Amino acid sequence: MHFTTLLVCVGFAHLALAGYTLEDDYSAANFFSMFNFQTETDPTGGYVNYLDQATAQNDGLINTNNGLVYIGVDNTNVALGRGRNSVRLESKKTYNHALVVLDLVHMPAGCGTWPAFWTFGPGWPNGGEIDVIEGVNDQTTNSMTLHTSDGCSANSPAAAFTGQQNTYNCYVKAANQSENEGCGFSATVSNSYGTGFNGNGGGVYAMEWTSDYIRIFFWPGGSAPSDALGDSPNPSNWGRPAAHFQGDCDIDQHFMDQQITFDMTFCGSWAGDAWGDNCAAQHGNSCNAFVQNTPGAFKETYWSVSSLRVYQDSPSSNTAPSAASKPKPAAVPAAVPVSSAAPASPSSSTTSVASSIHIASSSTQVAPPSAVVTVTAAPIIITVAAPSTTRVPVASSVFSSQPAQTLDVLPANAEVLQSDEFGAGSPGIPDRWRRRNRRHLAQHVRLGHTPF
């Protein structure tokens, strides 16, 4: 039996399989209290007047009833001033990586409208933008798009998604693309947006954002996986998404501190520019004039939200056995430091805490299963043991700006990064990963298929 070890400057351990757990439930009871009501002039040039919460409530543009959240627009009065009264909601909380699941009964639709459910980060476009649901006028299929600063493109293989990819460069000023076009997909089913979505009883959208990819799933009403709306969803069992954004893009560099947003604007730089495609023949040559003078046309311009939930991928809190009850592994060779900094020696105050975790493989064909060790205090040795004929991939992560720290033991089919990919920073740590410190990921090392 051969061993390899990783010495991490941490202590008390939790051992569990990683999975999504519920972080925030935007239920009807607390929905509006979890959002800010944005009242500034629409940045897209729309013919719209965004209201504050009190005014929107008094005017009947927002309410909750029987567990459903209603977010609408003024559909009774001729519009004045900046435009038709509407609502733009931005979550008070920001997120870094998440699984966002939205169960919708109804969405805005019709000529002149430009609704969106999306997320955005600070200093646009530097913090990134993820458009989960977006479209204009009488559009029939959903548009899903990323908008970023320079240096991000998505070119996933066609087998990775069910939608249609239209553009590949996510940079808002990319050459050979329209201004702010971004990298985008279109859904291929007509019940994914607008009147087709509403006529089918709504549906469920899920956006999964990790360091490796951003994916958007859609299921028409009644067809979502059973776990998608539960407390522990598992996207790995959901099949192909409608959109899969992955490629030449450091996602953690381009997407951070995202706020969840609902809005409904009118005309502007997209719906107004596309007005002549179909709507002008029905409603005249001016999008603004139509929106201003025909309030009754916007009775279907509203969101009806059944649920909105945000999940985080984190280990469970099952505590590993203490040192007193857990057998110690056999002697191991000198530890390999995860970072260039030398780990501190255990203090006497930590002698009762678990000092090692031993993961053994019983087969020469299969490496140890994926696991996560979460630790919070003094040094701990993570030991992976296997027969000499087994080559077990090992990965480690150190989160220096968080109180908890993690180490992953990956399955045999995990991505392998060769040593020549390492950057010029701390030994064995790529500079592009070290830059993630401001988003809590200080260092990340993958040592692939290490022989014992």
Side-chain angles (χ1 to χ4, degrees):
M1 184 78 72
H2 290 17
F3 301 90
T4 187
T5 62
L6 295 174
L7 182 59
V8 185
C9 190
V10 285
F12 188 76
H14 304 274
L15 179 63
L17 293 179
Y20 282 104
T21 56
L22 181 64
E23 176 168 337
D24 292 307
D25 186 353
Y26 289 72
S27 65
N30 60 5
F31 188 90
F32 293 115
S33 67
M34 299 176 76
F35 287 94
N36 293 317
F37 283 67
Q38 176 59 259
T39 59
E40 295 180 1
T41 300
D42 181 32
T44 66
Y47 184 68
V48 65
N49 180 44
Y50 289 127
L51 302 181
D52 60 62
Q53 182 172 0
T55 306
Q57 184 85 45
N58 291 336
D59 291 356
L61 271 61
I62 60 170
N63 66 62
T64 58
N65 187 29
N66 294 325
L68 295 178
V69 175
Y70 173 87
I71 311 165
V73 304
D74 178 4
N75 55 42
T76 59
N77 301 296
V78 171
L80 300 172
R82 294 193 301 182
R84 182 155 299 282
N85 288 347
S86 181
V87 175
R88 172 170 168 152
L89 305 178
E90 299 174 359
S91 66
K92 295 178 178 178
K93 186 170 182 178
T94 62
Y95 298 92
N96 286 284
H97 296 174
L99 174 65
V100 180
V101 182
L102 174 66
D103 185 4
L104 275 179
V105 177
H106 186 280
M107 67 170 296
C111 283
T113 64
W114 179 359
F117 172 69
W118 53 298
T119 71
F120 72 96
W124 189 94
N126 297 323
E129 174 184 331
I130 306 170
D131 298 328
V132 180
I133 304 174
E134 188 176 27
V136 297
N137 299 327
D138 56 359
Q139 186 170 315
T140 59
T141 59
N142 184 43
S143 298
M144 300 157 283
T145 312
L146 304 185
H147 303 271
T148 70
S149 55
D150 197 7
C152 179
S153 61
N155 50 4
S156 301
F161 52 85
T162 63
Q164 175 181 321
Q165 187 160 11
N166 303 313
T167 52
Y168 296 85
N169 195 328
C170 309
Y171 180 36
V172 297
K173 296 183 180 298
N176 302 315
Q177 291 183 188
S178 300
E179 178 82 7
N180 193 28
E181 190 169 11
C183 55
F185 289 80
S186 296
T188 55
V189 290
S190 59
N191 55 14
S192 62
Y193 184 86
T195 56
F197 178 91
N198 298 333
N200 197 53
V204 175
Y205 275 93
M207 185 273 286
E208 184 183 22
W209 163 30
T210 74
S211 293
D212 297 320
Y213 54 76
I214 295 171
R215 304 193 296 173
I216 298 174
F217 296 84
F218 169 68
W219 303 281
S223 65
S226 58
D227 67 323
L229 300 173
D231 291 337
S232 301
N234 184 5
S236 64
N237 294 330
W238 293 351
R240 291 188 298 163
H244 185 114
F245 299 94
Q246 189 173 30
D248 186 14
C249 183
D250 184 332
I251 290 178
D252 286 344
Q253 184 180 13
H254 287 91
F255 296 89
M256 65 202 77
D257 299 329
Q258 298 282 297
Q259 290 178 268
I260 298 171
T261 305
F262 288 90
D263 72 42
M264 294 168 290
T265 187
F266 301 93
C267 304
S269 60
W270 187 8
D273 289 352
W275 179 255
D277 293 348
N278 294 304
C279 294
Q282 307 172 54
H283 306 295
N285 293 328
S286 173
C287 180
N288 281 17
F290 172 73
V291 172
Q292 178 181 20
N293 297 308
T294 54
F298 303 104
K299 294 185 182 297
E300 293 299 310
T301 307
Y302 68 90
W303 301 96
S304 181
V305 180
S306 179
S307 67
L308 171 61
R309 292 179 138 201
V310 180
Y311 305 82
Q312 290 292 339
D313 188 4
S314 60
S316 74
S317 58
N318 296 328
T319 303
S322 67
S325 62
K326 188 173 183 64
K328 293 184 178 180
V332 297
V336 178
V338 173
S339 72
S340 59
S345 300
S347 66
S348 58
S349 63
T350 62
T351 55
S352 62
V353 182
S355 61
S356 65
I357 291 181
H358 184 207
I359 305 174
S361 173
S362 60
S363 167
T364 60
Q365 304 297 322
V366 181
S370 180
V372 175
V373 179
T374 303
V375 286
T376 57
I380 184 168
I381 296 177
I382 310 300
T383 305
V384 179
S388 58
T389 55
T390 303
R391 298 158 79 89
V392 182
V394 176
S396 64
S397 302
V398 177
F399 292 74
S400 65
S401 58
Q402 293 285 322
Q405 304 184 20
T406 65
L407 181 144
D408 298 334
V409 180
L410 299 182
N413 62 354
E415 177 185 4
V416 178
L417 298 179
Q418 303 299 326
S419 60
D420 60 5
E421 291 186 64
F422 292 159
S426 295
I429 300 170
D431 283 342
R432 64 181 182 276
W433 287 330
R434 290 172 56 80
R435 289 196 300 268
R436 297 175 183 172
N437 188 38
R438 59 195 169 100
R439 290 176 296 284
H440 310 313
L441 183 54
Q443 299 164 343
H444 188 101
V445 182
R446 289 185 182 177
L447 307 176
H449 290 81
T450 304
F452 295 90

